[in-house]
Amino acid sequence: MGLSDDLLRLKDEAEAAFAGAVATGAAAVEAVRIALMGRSGRLKDLEEGFAAAPGPDKRTLGPILNQVKTALKEALAAAQAKVTAKENDAPIDVTLPEQGRHIGTIHPISQVAAEVEQVFTSMGYEVIDGPHIEQDEFNFGRLNIPADHPARDAQDTFWLSNGDLLRTHTSAVQSRTYKLVGDGKLTPPFRRVVVGKVFRYEAVDATHDNTFTQVEGFVVDKEITVAHLIGTIRTMLTAVLKRDDVEVRLRPSFFPFVEPGFEVDVRLTSVESTNRFSRWVELLGCGMIHPKVLSAGGIDPTQWQGFAFGLGMERLTMIRHAIADIRVFHGGDLRSLHQF
Ligand code: FA5
C-alpha cells in the first residue's frame, strides 16, 4: 500500500535527518522540524492522504500514522536534548582576558546643567525648553534686532534654505514666552529658565566653540530691579561654582533686548597664568528686559518689568573644574570626560 510505505519511509528519513542535524546545531534541528513536521511539511501531506483514504484502508493506516507521528516527536525531542547538552558542555577558555566593563559617566555639561536647574527651581523658576531650529522672528525680530541691525553680525549662524536658522542664543525662548502672553496662553508674573544648545558661525579657540550651551533665565513681575538681577546671579554662581578663588565683575554692555545691559566677567586667582581663566573671561550677558521686547509680546511695560540673563554653560563648567580649553566638551575624548 503506497501511503503506508511513504509513512514508514518518512519515519526512517526523519530519524536520520535529526541525528545528522545535531552535529550542526539548534538551527539545523529546527530546519528539519519545519521541513518534516511543519504546517506545510511532509507529514502534513501524508495526513491529508490519510484523510482522503477510503474507510477500510483507514483502519490499517491509522495505527501506522500514529506510530510515525510518535517516532517523529521522539526523534525531535532527542535531537533537541542533544544540542542543548552539547551547548552546555562547550569548554570555557579560562585563559581569555576579561573584557572589562565600561561604565559611562554623565557629561560634565549635563552635570552642571542639572545643578543650575536645581538652583533655579529652588527659587521658584519653571524649567522650559525651545527648538534648536528657530524662526528669524523669535531669534532676532522680537528681540529688537530688525533685519538690518548690526547686532546680527555678532551672532552669525547657520541658515536653512527656508529662512529659518540654528538659534544663536537661548534668548529666542524669551520671545516665545512673551508671545504666549500676547496669545492669551500665559499671564505674568513668571520666572523661567532654559538650558540648551546654541549655534554660531564662530572661529573656535580655547573659550569659543561653534556649538555651545546657554542658560537663559528671565523674570517678569512687578517692581523688579537690577538688584534682583545681581542677587540672582550671585546666588547661582555661589551655588554652582563651589570655589573660593573666583573674582566677579559687572560692567555695562549693550544688547538690543535689554536696557540697561551688563556683562559679567569672571577670573580665577589660583590657577596658573597659562590658564585662560587667570585673566577676565566673559561669562554672561544680562540686563533689564527692554520695554520694546515686552510690548512686542503683548506685555504692558508700564505694568510689568523684568530682568534676563544668558550664560555660557561651557565657560561656567570650565571655571568650576578649572578646565583650560572648551574643546574638551565636544572633542569626544573619553579620557578627559571620564574625569568628571
Ligand atoms: C547672548 O547670547 C545674549 N543672548 C545674552 C543675554 C541674555 C543678554 C539675556 C541679555 C539678556 P553673548 O553673545 O554675549 O550674549 O553670549 C552669552 C554668553 O554665552 C557669553 O557670555 C559666553 O559665556 C557664552 N558664549 C558666547 N559665545 C560663545 C562661544 N562661541 N563659545 C562658548 N561660549 C560662548
Side-chain angles (χ1 to χ4, degrees), residues 134-135 137-138 142-143 171-187 190 192 218 293-299:
E134 193 46 282
Q135 295 166 26
E137 172 192 351
F138 294 112
R142 286 172 171 266
L143 291 172
S171 300
V173 185
Q174 281 192 57
S175 327
R176 287 187 170 267
T177 296
Y178 306 149
K179 181 171 187 290
L180 288 180
V181 178
D183 292 346
K185 293 178 182 153
L186 181 71
T187 34
F190 50 78
R192 300 185 135 197
F218 51 100
V293 172
L294 293 172
S295 304
I299 301 172

Side-chain angles (χ1 to χ4, degrees), residues 27-154:
V29 171
E30 179 61 6
V32 172
R33 183 193 70 76
I34 292 168
L36 303 183
M37 303 159 71
R39 259 189 289 163
S40 35
R42 296 253 309 274
L43 180 63
K44 188 83 192 162
D45 290 345
L46 298 177
E47 279 175 331
E48 280 166 12
F50 171 78
D57 289 353
K58 276 201 177 122
R59 263 194 295 282
T60 338
L61 285 167
I64 299 175
L65 176 63
N66 285 337
Q67 181 200 337
V68 170
K69 274 166 110 170
T70 309
L72 259 56
K73 273 188 208 151
E74 284 173 1
L76 170 66
Q80 284 171 335
K82 277 189 196 152
V83 165
T84 308
K86 234 172 67 175
E87 278 167 3
N88 290 342
D89 282 354
I92 297 168
D93 183 351
V94 290
T95 66
L96 273 178
E98 190 234 350
Q99 287 189 347
R101 251 184 277 167
H102 301 286
I103 298 177
T105 49
I106 296 178
H107 194 282
I109 297 291
S110 305
Q111 291 179 30
V112 176
E115 289 186 28
V116 168
E117 288 181 357
Q118 213 258 316
V119 172
F120 281 99
T121 312
S122 75
M123 292 192 280
Y125 282 64
E126 187 188 348
V127 177
I128 57 162
D129 209 354
H132 290 170
I133 296 178
E134 193 46 282
Q135 295 166 26
D136 188 304
E137 172 192 351
F138 294 112
N139 197 84
F140 293 125
R142 286 172 171 266
L143 291 172
N144 198 22
I145 315 177
D148 52 357
H149 198 288
R152 287 190 178 217
D153 297 345

Side-chain angles (χ1 to χ4, degrees), residues 31-336:
V32 172
R33 183 193 70 76
I34 292 168
L36 303 183
M37 303 159 71
R39 259 189 289 163
S40 35
R42 296 253 309 274
L43 180 63
K44 188 83 192 162
D45 290 345
L46 298 177
E47 279 175 331
E48 280 166 12
F50 171 78
D57 289 353
K58 276 201 177 122
R59 263 194 295 282
T60 338
L61 285 167
I64 299 175
L65 176 63
N66 285 337
Q67 181 200 337
V68 170
K69 274 166 110 170
T70 309
L72 259 56
K73 273 188 208 151
E74 284 173 1
L76 170 66
Q80 284 171 335
K82 277 189 196 152
V83 165
T84 308
K86 234 172 67 175
E87 278 167 3
N88 290 342
D89 282 354
I92 297 168
D93 183 351
V94 290
T95 66
L96 273 178
E98 190 234 350
Q99 287 189 347
R101 251 184 277 167
H102 301 286
I103 298 177
T105 49
I106 296 178
H107 194 282
I109 297 291
S110 305
Q111 291 179 30
V112 176
E115 289 186 28
V116 168
E117 288 181 357
Q118 213 258 316
V119 172
F120 281 99
T121 312
S122 75
M123 292 192 280
Y125 282 64
E126 187 188 348
V127 177
I128 57 162
D129 209 354
H132 290 170
I133 296 178
E134 193 46 282
Q135 295 166 26
D136 188 304
E137 172 192 351
F138 294 112
N139 197 84
F140 293 125
R142 286 172 171 266
L143 291 172
N144 198 22
I145 315 177
D148 52 357
H149 198 288
R152 287 190 178 217
D153 297 345
Q155 294 193 4
D156 197 6
T157 185
F158 305 92
W159 293 84
L160 278 72
S161 50
N162 67 355
D164 288 350
L165 62 148
L166 296 188
R167 70 177 177 194
T168 59
H169 54 178
T170 41
S171 300
V173 185
Q174 281 192 57
S175 327
R176 287 187 170 267
T177 296
Y178 306 149
K179 181 171 187 290
L180 288 180
V181 178
D183 292 346
K185 293 178 182 153
L186 181 71
T187 34
F190 50 78
R191 303 170 199 189
R192 300 185 135 197
V193 67
V194 190
V195 181
K197 283 236 175 336
V198 299
F199 311 85
R200 292 190 195 173
Y201 181 65
E202 185 96 64
V204 173
D205 63 22
T207 51
H208 294 85
D209 208 341
N210 52 33
T211 300
F212 59 101
T213 317
Q214 281 189 337
V215 183
E216 188 94 6
F218 51 100
V219 169
V220 172
D221 206 330
K222 304 245 166 170
E223 290 168 25
I224 295 292
T225 69
V226 174
H228 295 115
L229 166 62
I230 294 174
T232 305
I233 289 169
R234 193 189 295 275
T235 303
M236 171 185 62
L237 295 184
T238 307
V240 175
L241 290 179
K242 301 185 177 77
R243 297 180 70 101
D244 50 19
D245 61 344
V246 185
E247 272 190 89
V248 179
R249 77 176 177 195
L250 181 82
R251 63 185 159 79
S253 186
F254 172 73
F255 298 94
F257 36 97
V258 290
E259 179 55 37
F262 310 94
E263 276 176 337
V264 172
D265 301 332
V266 175
R267 76 175 168 192
L268 299 176
T269 53
S270 72
V271 294
E272 301 200 344
S273 59
T274 47
N275 187 314
R276 183 63 190 81
F277 286 92
S278 62
R279 285 164 284 141
W280 291 113
V281 174
E282 178 202 322
L283 178 62
L284 61 96
C286 58
M288 303 305 291
I289 304 165
H290 199 292
K292 277 193 179 173
V293 172
L294 293 172
S295 304
I299 301 172
D300 179 354
T302 62
Q303 296 292 313
W304 301 98
Q305 304 84 49
F307 68 74
F309 64 86
L311 167 149
M313 273 296 297
E314 280 74 9
R315 293 192 189 173
L316 185 71
T317 308
M318 287 166 86
I319 298 164
R320 159 84 171 264
H321 295 299
I323 297 171
D325 198 308
I326 200 169
R327 283 163 282 206
V328 162
F329 297 118
H330 292 139
D333 187 339
L334 295 180
R335 288 170 305 177
S336 307

